[in-house]
Amino acid sequence: MWNKLIVLLKRQAWLGDKFIDLLIVIIGITIAFQLNEWKAKSIEEKKVGVVKNEILSDLKLDEKELNRLINNQQNKLIKLERAIEMLDDTTLRGQKFFNIHQVIYTTSYFEVRKRAYEYALNTGEFYLISDKELSNKIINYYDGVSHVDFYEDNEVERLGIFNEFCTEYFLLGKEDAPESLFRNKKFLNTFQIIYYNQGLKIAEYKNLLKLNTELQSVL
C-alpha cells in the first residue's frame, strides 16, 4: 500500500513538473508574439510619423505660396474692377489701356507640393494611418486642387480670346485702340468673364488655404 502511494505521489510530481514546463513554454511563446507585434507596431508608427512630418512640411510651403497668390490676385481683382468702370471712359486709350491689358494678362498658377503624399501612396505607407478622419482630410486637400485648376485653366483660355482683340493694336505698333473694340460685345463679355473668374479663383485659393491650415492643425 505504501509503495503504491509513493508511486502515485511521484507520478503526480512528474505531471506537475511537466505542467510547469508546458506553462513556461506557452508563456514564452506568448511573450515572443507580443514582442514581435509590439516591434511591428512600433515600426509602423515610425513610418506614419515620417509620412505626417513630410506632408506637414509640404503643407507649410503650400500655405506660404497660397497666401502670396491670394494677396497678388486680390490686387489684380481691384485693378480689374477699376478697369471695368473705366470701359466707357473715352480717355481709356493708348497707354492707359495698355497698362490694363498688362494687368489682365498676368496669370497665376498654384502647383501643390505632392511629393510626400504621392510617395506615401505609391509605397502603401499612407494606408498605415489608422486615423481615417485624418487620412480623409489629407485626401480632400489634394483633391481640392482640381477646383483651383479649373479656374486657372479657364483664365488662360479667356486671356487667349482677350488677347486676340488686343495684340493687333498694341504689339503691331499702333498707339491707340479703336472705338469699335470698346463696342464689341464679345470683347466686353470676355472682359467681364475674366473679372468674375478672377473672383472665383481667389475664393478657391482661400478654400484650399482653409483646408491646408485645418490639416496642419491635426498633423
Side-chain angles (χ1 to χ4, degrees):
M1 177 177 148
W2 289 108
N3 290 334
K4 289 181 179 181
L5 182 59
I6 291 170
V7 171
L8 180 63
L9 289 173
K10 286 183 177 180
R11 183 176 296 174
Q12 287 178 344
W14 180 82
L15 290 173
D17 290 341
K18 293 302 179 182
F19 175 77
I20 291 173
D21 290 343
L22 179 61
L23 185 61
I24 290 173
V25 171
I26 292 172
I27 292 173
I29 293 173
T30 302
I31 292 173
F33 274 123
Q34 288 179 339
L35 286 174
N36 287 336
E37 185 178 345
W38 175 84
K39 185 177 180 180
K41 187 176 181 180
S42 178
I43 293 173
E44 285 186 2
E45 287 177 350
K46 287 181 180 179
K47 288 182 179 180
V48 170
V50 171
V51 169
K52 288 181 178 179
N53 287 334
E54 290 184 347
I55 289 177
L56 181 60
S57 178
D58 283 347
L59 288 173
K60 289 179 178 179
L61 294 173
D62 283 350
E63 180 187 13
K64 184 177 180 180
E65 178 64 8
L66 283 167
N67 278 315
R68 185 190 70 81
L69 286 172
I70 289 170
N71 182 61
N72 290 346
Q73 295 304 302
Q74 282 180 329
N75 289 334
K76 177 181 175 179
L77 186 66
I78 292 172
K79 292 177 181 179
L80 284 174
E81 188 172 2
R82 291 174 181 169
I84 288 175
E85 294 172 353
M86 295 171 62
L87 280 177
D88 293 331
D89 188 348
T90 56
T91 65
L92 186 61
R93 303 293 184 271
Q95 188 62 40
K96 284 185 179 180
F97 187 75
F98 179 76
N99 292 340
I100 291 174
H101 172 259
Q102 293 300 97
V103 169
I104 293 174
Y105 206 63
T106 56
T107 60
S108 65
Y109 179 71
F110 175 66
E111 186 172 358
V112 66
R113 289 161 179 81
K114 301 176 71 173
R115 178 191 58 80
Y117 174 64
E118 289 181 341
Y119 177 81
L121 286 176
N122 292 334
T123 60
E125 293 178 359
F126 180 79
Y127 303 102
L128 296 177
I129 299 175
S130 59
D131 187 341
K132 297 307 176 185
E133 184 177 353
L134 174 59
S135 60
N136 286 335
K137 283 185 177 181
I138 295 173
I139 292 171
N140 288 339
Y141 172 73
Y142 288 103
D143 285 349
V145 178
S146 62
H147 300 295
V148 172
D149 290 343
F150 172 80
Y151 292 107
E152 289 177 336
D153 292 342
N154 191 44
E155 177 183 49
V156 172
E157 181 181 348
R158 297 300 169 180
L159 286 178
I161 297 172
F162 181 84
N163 208 42
E164 289 177 5
F165 290 106
C166 305
T167 302
E168 179 182 353
Y169 303 106
F170 295 113
L171 299 187
L172 295 183
K174 296 186 179 180
E175 296 181 356
D176 204 358
E179 285 291 332
S180 59
L181 178 63
F182 296 91
R183 293 196 299 268
N184 188 300
K185 289 184 178 181
K186 187 175 181 181
F187 168 79
L188 296 175
N189 287 339
T190 301
F191 204 114
Q192 288 282 357
I193 291 172
I194 290 172
Y195 171 74
Y196 292 135
N197 187 79
Q198 181 72 11
L200 293 171
K201 184 176 68 171
I202 292 172
E204 288 299 333
Y205 282 154
K206 289 182 176 179
N207 182 59
L208 197 59
L209 179 61
K210 180 182 177 183
L211 293 175
N212 179 294
T213 53
E214 288 177 351
L215 185 52
Q216 285 193 56
S217 69
V218 295
L219 278 173

